[in-house]
Amino acid sequence: MGIHTETRGYAHPPAIGWWSALLPFSIFLAAASLVPTMASGGRIDLALDWIPSLGVSLSLAIDGLSLLFVMIISLVGTAVYVFAGEYLGSHPKLKWFYVLISIFMLAMLGLVLMDNLLAMFVFWELTTLSSYLLIGFENERPEARYNARQALLVTGAGGLALLVGILLLGHIAGSYSIADLIPQADVIRSHPLYLPVLVLIFAGAFTKSAQFPFHFWLPNAMAAPTPISAFLHSATMVKAGIYLLARLHPVLGCTPVWMQTLVTIGGITALWGAILAIGQEDLKRMLAYTTVMALGIMTMFLGGRSTPTLTAAVTFLMVHALYKSALFMIVGTLDYQTGTRLLTQIGGLWRTMPITAVATAAAALSMAGFPLFFGFIGKEIMYKGALTEEMFPQFATLAALVSNALMTSVTGIFFLQVFTGPLKAPSGRPAEAGVAMWIGPLVLGFLGVIFGLFPDWVGRHMVEPAVQAFYPKAEDIHLKIFYGFNDPLLLSALTLALGVIGYAGRQRLRKASGLIKQNQPITGSQIYDRMLYMTSALAVVHTRLVQNGSLQRYLSVILFSVVAGVGATLLTNGVVVRLPLNVVLDAAVIEILLCLLMFLALMVLLLAGSSLLALCALGVIGAGCAMIFLWNGAPDAALTQLLVETLTMIIVANVLLRLPAMTPHLSKPSRLLFNAGIALAAGTVVTLLLLASIAGHLDRSITSYYETLSVVKANGRNIVNVILVDFRSFDTMGEIIVVAVAGIAGVALIRRRRSCDPSS
């Protein structure tokens, strides 16, 4: 078949699903108790300092928008927890699954509740990491590992862009609190960094919410078990980008570039997702592409700045979460009971799985936008919003109409082909699944019916507080079953008619979808693979050039970096360099003799034929430096220098005595010239740097700081010692650890070499 059918046939479900569901269900009940408070315009703020020096606090903000997300996450989470208990049954990693999905759920809750952008980013990345582990849950399968890595790299790259955008936003406004950013919205929008910030924020949101051209990772992530798909890709993770766009709408929105980008990218994503959805044979991938379509619709309407457009985005978010999570779990049930989720291999299942059929009908009719279902209310609002779009209203209306019509056709294919007609299933005559597998889809599906029958209550208590949380100018929102005979109703009727026509001609539509998919000049997955290949090839080239095992190459790279970086800085910053001729002329005879001695030692070092002689010459240079320090009244520095030189001599001499004798190595003339050139360049740069330091004005404030506090804070009068032991104690400890580790590694290398060399 070319696709994977998830493992089935585990032992009878344990009660772990029901018990585990108490966590999300308790959160849902707590959130539901806050609905009246939010409906009356309330807001709850809780703040706890985390990293005050960086302006980061764990500040919770519960308003209509965050509460709506919390309710969706916890409600769908409850259904998924129960469903997974039976679906995964006695899977060997079932407990690990609940650990991971609980981490993910709590990360999502933290994401939507944080008012501080940096704290929110921490939870954002936590969702990325936990979703990576969830998508690759069955890591023994190469497909699962590949798709998990793809999701991680795509969303992780977007997360890095988002972090830079957040930092720039904080730089502009001087705060990372969203509540503080909103009053400064005009300043932010007029700032020269506004466009870079917008691009970076969009990169984070678009990758997370699978917008074109980053949409490819979402259908591929369907390698995850169905409970994970139902939770991550219908109600939570992929909506994090939608949440971010809504949350930052009052800060960054309402500008032409904001509206043009979101309407265009959202519209293209919606159309592309709908076109590809109808051509899928695998039910799970079909739902994945319809999720791409839905995310595009929400993004498109978040590009508006009127009550109808933003109401459409929030309403459709609720509609989609309810029916899509139910349908994902239903696909899992079908796969579990029949052994396949391919359209061509199943049919007529209503006879043997009537409860699943009813739940599917409730959810699917809401997805199709049939009257009296919540999906119908969502489509009415959607068309009203599209017609009032300020930016490209014709394109928005057309994109919504075509996408919705194709969704109606997909609904017909999904429901009628699976549940009507003659009974057909690879497993013979499948039976109804256990209650844990149908209760969640049934409840979520019928919530779509209940919300459709009482839309005004939903509008006043859930949609309106959510919209007003990020668009305070929003007018009163009244959702109705029937708004009268108007253009949105006409478009809704046209959608259903086109959907029915599309279902009748589904074979041609599916064939056309397949041709479009096959004739793409290049796909997102192919671009991803090529970039991954190029990155690997670049890493190989870099390793061969830089990390090739040659110590000479390593030293050359380090010196070249110093020369290029420091030298360029000296040249471009106009650093003044003055020769201290007075110091040279006033030098004592002993200083001149010491310098001559050190120069002679340097010549010996360069020409030495043995490593021990070179080490002795190096020691003479160090000792000469110590003597100059002493002559100029710096006994502490001289003593330190002598101790370091002595210790270095002892250690290195011990090492050299255990190494083979140094053999003459004749380098090519070009290599010698290169070495001489880079050595002279490094020496020249260091000399210029020292001369520039002498010529410049020394900042005495640091010296005064240590002079004042060395006794008071560290009870020491030797400032150098106090700095090393107290003020820089962690740095010193780190340096000691590095030296110790390097010594241990050196001993290990020597032992290994001796063990490999029989002659030693």
Side-chain angles (χ1 to χ4, degrees):
M1 291 185 296
I3 64 168
H4 167 72
T5 300
E6 292 168 9
T7 307
R8 60 188 292 269
Y10 291 118
H12 194 70
I16 187 173
W18 294 95
W19 285 109
S20 300
L22 291 177
L23 173 64
F25 189 62
S26 302
I27 296 172
F28 174 75
L29 291 179
S33 68
L34 297 176
V35 169
T37 305
M38 297 302 122
S40 59
R43 175 187 166 99
I44 299 173
D45 290 287
L46 296 172
L48 178 66
D49 281 343
W50 185 15
I51 313 173
S53 59
L54 297 178
V56 182
S57 61
L58 289 175
S59 50
L60 297 176
I62 305 176
D63 58 11
L65 182 64
S66 55
L67 184 69
L68 177 63
F69 269 88
V70 170
M71 293 182 70
I72 290 174
I73 294 166
S74 55
L75 178 63
V76 176
T78 303
V80 168
Y81 273 55
V82 173
F83 178 84
E86 180 164 348
Y87 182 81
L88 294 175
S90 59
H91 194 289
K93 295 192 293 185
L94 181 62
K95 293 180 181 177
W96 177 234
F97 165 80
Y98 279 109
V99 170
L100 286 179
I101 206 159
S102 298
I103 292 172
F104 174 81
M105 183 184 69
L106 296 175
M108 273 302 303
L109 292 173
L111 192 157
V112 301
L113 289 174
M114 285 295 121
D115 178 65
N116 188 288
L117 284 174
L118 285 178
M120 187 193 76
F121 177 77
V122 172
F123 288 103
W124 178 285
E125 287 300 278
L126 193 55
T127 63
T128 301
L129 294 175
S130 53
S131 65
Y132 163 71
L133 296 173
L134 285 167
I135 295 170
F137 183 70
E138 295 181 335
N139 53 20
E140 64 279 4
R141 294 168 45 214
E143 181 190 7
R145 295 197 299 271
Y146 173 85
N147 292 328
R149 185 179 64 176
Q150 186 181 71
L152 174 70
L153 291 179
V154 174
T155 57
L160 292 177
L162 173 63
L163 175 61
V164 179
I166 289 174
L167 294 176
L168 290 178
L169 200 54
H171 169 73
I172 297 171
S175 173
Y176 295 107
S177 167
I178 298 172
D180 293 341
L181 294 178
I182 292 174
Q184 303 185 64
D186 292 336
V187 176
I188 294 170
R189 290 172 191 145
S190 59
H191 197 277
L193 289 175
Y194 170 72
L195 189 57
V197 168
L198 204 60
V199 171
L200 293 166
I201 298 290
F202 280 165
F206 289 173
T207 51
K208 198 78 165 181
S209 287
Q211 296 297 299
F212 184 89
F214 308 107
H215 62 286
F216 57 90
W217 72 263
L218 196 155
N220 291 342
M222 291 301 111
T226 296
I228 295 172
S229 303
F231 199 35
L232 271 65
H233 305 138
S234 64
T236 52
M237 177 185 171
V238 293
K239 289 194 170 70
I242 302 298
Y243 172 79
L244 181 69
L245 294 175
R247 185 55 81 192
L248 293 181
H249 188 281
V251 180
L252 302 172
C254 301
T255 61
V257 64
W258 169 280
M259 292 190 288
Q260 290 169 356
T261 305
L262 292 192
V263 171
T264 305
I265 295 296
I268 292 173
T269 304
L271 286 171
W272 191 238
I275 290 170
L276 294 184
I278 203 164
Q280 301 300 316
E281 187 178 350
D282 178 1
L283 288 173
K284 202 172 174 185
R285 289 184 69 84
M286 179 182 283
L287 291 181
Y289 278 109
T290 60
T291 298
V292 173
M293 170 266 174
L295 294 170
I297 287 288
M298 293 175 216
T299 301
M300 184 172 73
F301 285 112
L302 284 173
R305 58 177 178 181
S306 65
T307 302
T309 55
L310 301 177
T311 302
V314 172
T315 307
F316 193 60
L317 184 146
M318 291 181 61
V319 172
H320 176 260
L322 291 175
Y323 75 69
K324 189 54 64 68
S325 53
L327 290 177
F328 264 119
M329 284 185 273
I330 287 167
V331 169
T333 304
L334 296 174
D335 192 14
Y336 188 90
Q337 296 298 109
T338 66
T340 184
R341 55 178 194 245
L342 293 181
L343 268 175
T344 52
Q345 296 187 6
I346 51 179
L349 296 178
W350 70 272
R351 298 180 181 84
T352 57
M353 302 175 68
I355 301 176
T356 303
V358 171
T360 306
L365 290 175
S366 185
M367 181 168 83
F370 268 69
L372 300 183
F373 286 83
F374 196 38
F376 176 78
I377 309 291
K379 279 192 173 54
E380 287 277 283
I381 297 296
M382 191 187 299
Y383 288 130
K384 186 178 179 182
L387 293 170
T388 56
E389 276 278 6
E390 287 187 50
M391 201 62 66
F392 313 137
Q394 295 85 359
F395 170 75
T397 305
L398 183 63
L401 178 65
V402 175
S403 303
N404 287 329
L406 288 173
M407 283 305 95
T408 304
S409 302
V410 168
T411 302
I413 295 170
F414 187 97
F415 180 73
L416 296 177
Q417 284 199 216
V418 172
F419 289 99
T420 62
L423 180 63
K424 184 171 58 175
S427 60
R429 188 177 179 80
E432 189 62 81
V435 62
M437 293 185 69
W438 56 254
I439 186 68
L442 194 66
V443 170
L444 293 169
F446 271 90
L447 274 179
V449 180
I450 295 170
F451 285 4
L453 294 175
F454 304 97
D456 190 49
W457 185 91
V458 178
R460 284 187 290 108
H461 289 80
M462 302 183 75
V463 176
E464 185 175 312
V467 174
Q468 289 185 342
F470 65 94
Y471 188 65
K473 298 177 184 176
E475 305 155 6
D476 292 342
I477 296 171
H478 299 286
L479 300 183
K480 298 178 181 178
I481 297 176
F482 182 64
Y483 287 93
F485 295 99
N486 51 23
D487 290 341
L489 181 64
L490 177 63
L491 289 170
S492 293
L494 184 59
T495 300
L496 291 175
L498 290 174
V500 172
I501 294 172
Y503 176 75
R506 58 188 178 278
Q507 297 302 337
R508 291 182 179 178
L509 278 178
R510 290 167 61 81
K511 186 177 180 181
S513 172
L515 288 174
I516 292 172
K517 186 178 179 182
Q518 290 172 5
N519 292 317
Q520 294 177 76
I522 188 166
T523 65
S525 287
Q526 290 171 338
I527 295 174
Y528 165 82
D529 288 335
R530 289 182 186 181
M531 291 185 68
L532 204 61
Y533 173 78
M534 289 172 63
T535 304
S536 300
L538 183 63
V540 170
V541 172
H542 177 268
T543 303
R544 286 177 180 170
L545 289 176
V546 180
Q547 299 289 330
N548 64 344
S550 168
L551 295 178
Q552 189 178 37
R553 180 71 60 84
Y554 297 163
L555 187 59
S556 300
V557 170
I558 294 171
L559 291 178
F560 180 79
S561 302
V562 171
V563 170
V566 179
T569 304
L570 288 172
L571 290 175
T572 56
N573 286 277
V575 176
V576 177
V577 176
R578 287 198 300 270
L579 289 174
L581 294 176
N582 57 332
V583 175
V584 176
L585 294 175
D586 295 341
V589 176
I590 191 170
E591 289 180 297
I592 296 172
L593 292 175
L594 285 172
C595 287
L596 289 174
L597 179 63
M598 292 165 63
F599 181 76
L600 290 174
L602 176 63
M603 291 299 104
V604 172
L605 175 64
L606 292 175
L607 302 174
S610 74
S611 53
L612 198 58
L613 179 60
L615 179 64
C616 291
L618 192 62
V620 171
I621 295 173
C625 287
M627 296 302 291
I628 291 176
F629 291 156
L630 185 62
W631 181 260
N632 285 278
D636 286 347
L639 182 61
T640 305
Q641 177 74 18
L642 278 175
L643 288 175
V644 169
E645 287 297 331
T646 305
L647 192 61
T648 305
M649 287 281 291
I650 294 171
I651 294 174
V652 177
N654 273 287
V655 172
L656 290 177
L657 288 173
R658 286 163 174 76
L659 289 177
M662 196 165 72
T663 55
H665 179 70
L666 300 177
S667 299
K668 294 180 181 177
S670 59
R671 167 60 66 180
L672 290 174
L673 284 175
F674 176 80
N675 292 343
I678 200 165
L680 285 172
T684 303
V685 167
V686 172
T687 303
L688 291 175
L689 190 64
L690 289 173
L691 293 175
S693 302
I694 295 172
H697 174 70
L698 292 177
D699 183 3
R700 299 285 301 174
S701 61
I702 299 175
T703 306
S704 302
Y705 173 81
Y706 286 120
E707 286 175 346
T708 306
L709 298 178
S710 61
V711 176
V712 177
K713 293 288 186 183
N715 198 26
R717 297 187 182 280
N718 188 317
I719 294 177
V720 175
N721 290 346
V722 166
I723 291 173
L724 290 175
V725 176
D726 294 281
F727 290 104
R728 292 181 61 240
S729 56
F730 279 110
D731 289 348
T732 305
M733 185 177 70
E735 291 164 358
I736 292 171
I737 291 172
V738 169
V739 172
V741 171
I744 294 169
V747 171
L749 287 172
I750 292 170
R751 286 183 175 177
R752 182 179 179 186
R753 182 165 184 168
R754 292 180 66 182
S755 63
C756 296
D757 185 3
S759 62
S760 60

